[in-house]
Amino acid sequence: MTSPDAPFLQTLCSLRWLATAGQAATILVATWVLGLPLPQVPLWAGVLVLALFNTYAQLRVHGTDTAPVTAFGHILVDVTVLTWMVGWSGGISNPFGSLFLILIALAALALPVRWTLAVAASCLIGYSLSAALGLPLPAGGYFAPKDLQQWGVVANFLISVTVVLAFSTRLAVALRQREHELSLLRERFARNEGIVALATHAASVAHELNTPLATMTLLADDIAEQNESAEVRDDVETLRELLVQCRERVLALAAPASPDVPGRGPATALQVLEQWRLVRPTIILSRNADAPLTLPLDAGVGHLLMVLLNNAAEAGENAGRAEVELSLRIEGDDLVGEVRDFGHGFDARQAVLPATLFSSSKSEGMGVGLALSHATIERLHGEMWMRPAHGAGSRVGFRIPLVPREETP
């Protein structure tokens, strides 16, 4: 661990408020309940200094990482005040002198080794000063010195347990949260690395496919001109439209950074559906009447919609019911879509496992369509879900903000 987090300083501030309240309560109990004639001015001065410093510290604590020297400075103030308080209230005979160990434990859990050693050295110096220069407990009081010592040890033990438990629990939660975030980042990096490799390979292959597709388009035109059958000419025209669509996609892959490449501009929902109908003419598509078909879609959103429709079509064809239902609507600032298939459905346990959306079981496919869709969802800060449909099949939906959201720091 190279540097402590701001939550460490925030935890120190919280514990310091507890220490301030505990010191004030101890002075009052020792004076009014136990009857010890303690020096009031030095002790209350120490409480006041600690309270003022903690107020200043809380105003300066921010949500960013903190240098170890800053955290060491905070603990050094605690060591100094504790030395002062112990020195004026019994010195080495004060059972609360072992609270120096709490400061060392806190430093060991959150600071680098050398700064932990520095805290340990300062605590050793503070304890030595309080032992050498500390004033003994004044005579008097309502209880015997031996009883006071025993009850002080018990109170010190309870305070130590409370502080260590509170801090270690909070630190453990923060560490688990960080490990979870690192795990998500590793998974995202691995997936994005595969997508980048796929995109690089696709760009190189696109250059090789451009010429054959252009030649096939010319041959389709020649066949249409030379054939007088209307049925054949219609089929060839459909084939030509498919070839043109393939060539536009290939050109887009070959030059992804150029905005002038055909097919790179934002397509509307209607255009996406028309392209899908061209590829899947045998599938019955039903959609809601108020779908925003003229809404321009991000290229990734259009691809996501195509992937969901294709998967739903295949699921329906495998079950003998070639139907797909599409629901597309705008809710506030979000675009909400849902695709329902009439396939065999899925295991109910998958409904709570979003990761199952992004793995392919198709033996003839590359298994990257939904992975790319997942990357699109994350890039646009959206969400995706999978639920069983009433009757048969399943429903896969998504929610994507229409206005791009800023990255959180």
Side-chain angles (χ1 to χ4, degrees):
M1 186 178 297
T2 58
S3 65
D5 295 333
F8 172 66
L9 292 185
Q10 294 171 357
T11 302
L12 281 182
C13 289
S14 301
L15 295 178
R16 196 174 292 118
W17 283 125
L18 292 177
T20 304
Q23 290 170 357
T26 302
I27 296 173
L28 293 176
V29 170
T31 303
W32 299 101
V33 178
L34 304 180
L36 294 176
L38 297 175
Q40 298 293 306
V41 175
L43 293 178
W44 284 111
V47 173
L48 180 61
V49 168
L50 193 62
L52 291 176
F53 173 76
N54 205 36
T55 303
Y56 165 79
Q58 280 200 319
L59 295 176
R60 295 294 301 269
V61 171
H62 301 291
T64 57
D65 287 349
T66 306
V69 64
T70 303
F72 173 74
H74 281 236
I75 297 179
L76 189 61
V77 172
D78 297 325
V79 172
T80 303
V81 174
L82 182 59
T83 302
W84 175 268
M85 300 295 289
V86 172
W88 281 100
S89 57
I92 196 172
S93 62
N94 190 329
F96 293 100
S98 61
L99 290 177
F100 286 103
L101 295 175
I102 299 297
L103 298 175
I104 298 176
L106 297 182
L109 289 172
L111 295 182
V113 176
R114 59 173 183 170
W115 290 106
T116 302
L117 295 177
V119 170
S122 62
C123 288
L124 180 61
I125 294 173
Y127 185 78
S128 301
L129 290 176
S130 64
L133 305 178
L135 299 177
L137 283 176
Y142 306 141
F143 300 91
K146 183 178 180 180
D147 294 336
L148 292 177
Q149 181 73 19
Q150 290 178 346
W151 285 109
V153 170
V154 172
N156 179 54
F157 175 77
L158 294 177
I159 292 174
S160 301
V161 169
T162 302
V163 171
V164 172
L165 183 61
F167 180 80
S168 60
T169 301
R170 185 169 179 174
L171 183 62
V173 171
L175 290 176
R176 283 194 295 267
Q177 182 178 1
R178 172 170 289 188
E179 287 297 326
H180 178 67
E181 293 174 353
L182 289 176
S183 176
L184 292 179
L185 287 176
R186 283 193 293 266
E187 292 178 4
R188 184 180 302 176
F189 177 79
R191 185 181 65 252
N192 291 346
E193 190 177 39
I195 291 175
V196 170
L198 176 64
T200 303
H201 180 67
S204 62
V205 172
H207 286 284
E208 302 174 6
L209 293 178
N210 186 37
T211 300
L213 287 173
T215 303
M216 293 169 66
T217 303
L218 294 176
L219 291 175
D221 292 338
D222 292 341
I223 294 174
E225 292 177 358
Q226 296 174 7
N227 200 300
E228 297 181 356
S229 172
E231 184 178 352
V232 173
R233 292 172 67 91
D234 290 341
D235 291 341
V236 172
E237 182 62 26
T238 302
L239 175 62
R240 188 183 184 283
E241 291 178 2
L242 290 171
L243 289 172
V244 169
Q245 184 180 140
C246 291
R247 193 180 181 197
E248 289 179 354
R249 297 297 181 87
V250 166
L251 290 175
L253 288 174
S258 175
D260 299 328
V261 175
R264 293 303 293 176
T268 64
L270 180 60
Q271 291 173 330
V272 173
L273 293 180
E274 289 177 347
Q275 292 176 359
W276 181 79
R277 285 179 181 276
L278 188 62
V279 179
R280 298 276 188 173
T282 60
I283 305 297
I284 301 174
L285 175 64
S286 303
R287 58 174 175 82
N288 54 317
D290 58 344
L293 299 181
T294 59
L295 179 69
L297 300 179
D298 180 274
V301 178
H303 176 268
L304 167 63
L305 189 57
M306 292 281 284
V307 169
L308 296 182
L309 289 172
N310 283 330
N311 287 354
E314 292 180 5
E317 287 179 332
N318 293 335
R321 190 173 176 182
E323 294 181 48
V324 172
E325 290 183 359
L326 170 65
S327 173
L328 203 62
R329 62 190 183 276
I330 296 178
E331 293 183 358
D333 295 331
D334 297 337
L335 174 65
V336 180
E338 190 171 65
V339 177
R340 186 259 173 92
D341 66 67
F342 292 87
H344 297 294
F346 57 93
D347 191 330
R349 291 174 297 178
Q350 291 179 305
V352 293
L353 296 175
T356 59
L357 290 171
F358 313 113
S359 59
S360 174
S361 60
K362 296 179 293 184
S363 59
E364 70 275 9
M366 294 183 294
V368 297
L370 284 174
L372 294 173
S373 301
H374 190 196
T376 299
I377 291 291
E378 286 190 346
R379 176 174 60 86
L380 299 177
H381 305 282
E383 59 176 328
M384 196 172 184
W385 61 86
M386 184 176 186
R387 299 166 184 164
H390 179 70
S394 59
R395 296 180 294 130
V396 181
F398 60 89
R399 178 185 295 271
I400 296 175
L402 296 173
V403 180
R405 298 175 185 171
E406 296 182 358
E407 292 284 347
T408 55

